[in-house]
Amino acid sequence: MNKKNFLALFLTSLISSPAVLAADLPGKGITVLPVQSTLPEESFQTELINKALEKLGYQVKPTKEVEYNVAYTAIAAGDATYMAVNWEPLQKDMYNAAGGDDKFFRKGTYISGAAQGYLIDKKTAEKYHITDISQLKDPKIAKIFDANDDGKADLAGCNPGWVCGQVINAQIKAYGLSNTVQQNQGNYSAIIADTLTRYKAGKPVLYFTWTPYWVSDELKPGKDVVWLTVPFSATPGTQKNEDTSLANGKNYGFKPNNEHIVANKAWAEKNPAAAKLFAIASLPLSDVNAQNQRMHAGESSTADVQRHVEGWIHAHQKTFDGWIREAAAAAEK
């Protein structure tokens, strides 16, 4: 091989080497601090975005778990970069209170069609003909769900500080249920695990939940449990006049939500590749449900979640690679 050919071969191998390619990545030298809620089942959607950011060359720090209100405040102030679990419209007031569109970059929809509401076990629903939560105004009906013998129905509710807990309390008052229904608040994962234990023991259960989450894979609506309607829309804050009825006329008290990625606006403007990724990434709700079910079945360690993320990427490689190409191209414009 002559010197000319050797030099050409050397340059070709050098240009195609990962180290040199990494130098051209749009995120090189830029640090990302992701945040999410304290709910472990939200790790999957966050870590998937983290992997994509790393492919773009960003240095992603370990995800910080904080309460939602802290996450919004930290992102708005630039103390954190982004989170992948902005619920709209449920967290509209929290989003706006932290600065809204002036402080946050939010484009595209990451997960769509997330349902929320109240459910009871199907056996009890059919036995007592319970279809609407307002029926729990009857002390005799409420007593069926009394787990601690205080005379009130025990409703498995949300963590303190979550907006859903505020909505539930507002609806209990609006529907005249204050004397017969008590929302049990605390660690949701623990509360719902106790609910599942009660269900398996053949006892009546009343709980709030949402999708995507593992509960609706374990207790299947229509088969094991049924959704309860509400007598009218009753949402607190700026959403108080919004109609939560669905197109089919049913009203479950909560509008279907979409989950968005929100980032610090100033940071996103300086990082068009990451901003483009945030805008185009899309994750099927059913995939999150399935992953959450695996966590509930015992695959819940950090390593397990990372394996689930890698598995999703492998199964959707063309989609994932498309995100990276499109995001990287945005940095070149």
Side-chain angles (χ1 to χ4, degrees), residues 86 95 101 104-110 259-263 265 275-281:
N86 159 240
Y95 175 88
D101 294 339
F104 298 110
F105 172 87
R106 181 176 66 180
K107 291 185 178 180
T109 300
Y110 191 28
E259 286 186 46
H260 303 274
I261 299 170
V262 293
K265 188 171 185 177
K276 189 66 174 179
L277 171 68
F278 296 156
I280 64 175

Side-chain angles (χ1 to χ4, degrees), residues 34 41 44 82 96 111 123 203 232 247 260 267 290 321:
E41 287 80 6
F44 176 66
Y82 88 96
N96 289 334
I111 301 171
K123 182 177 70 173
K203 298 178 181 178
F232 52 85
H260 303 274
W267 187 92
D321 291 345

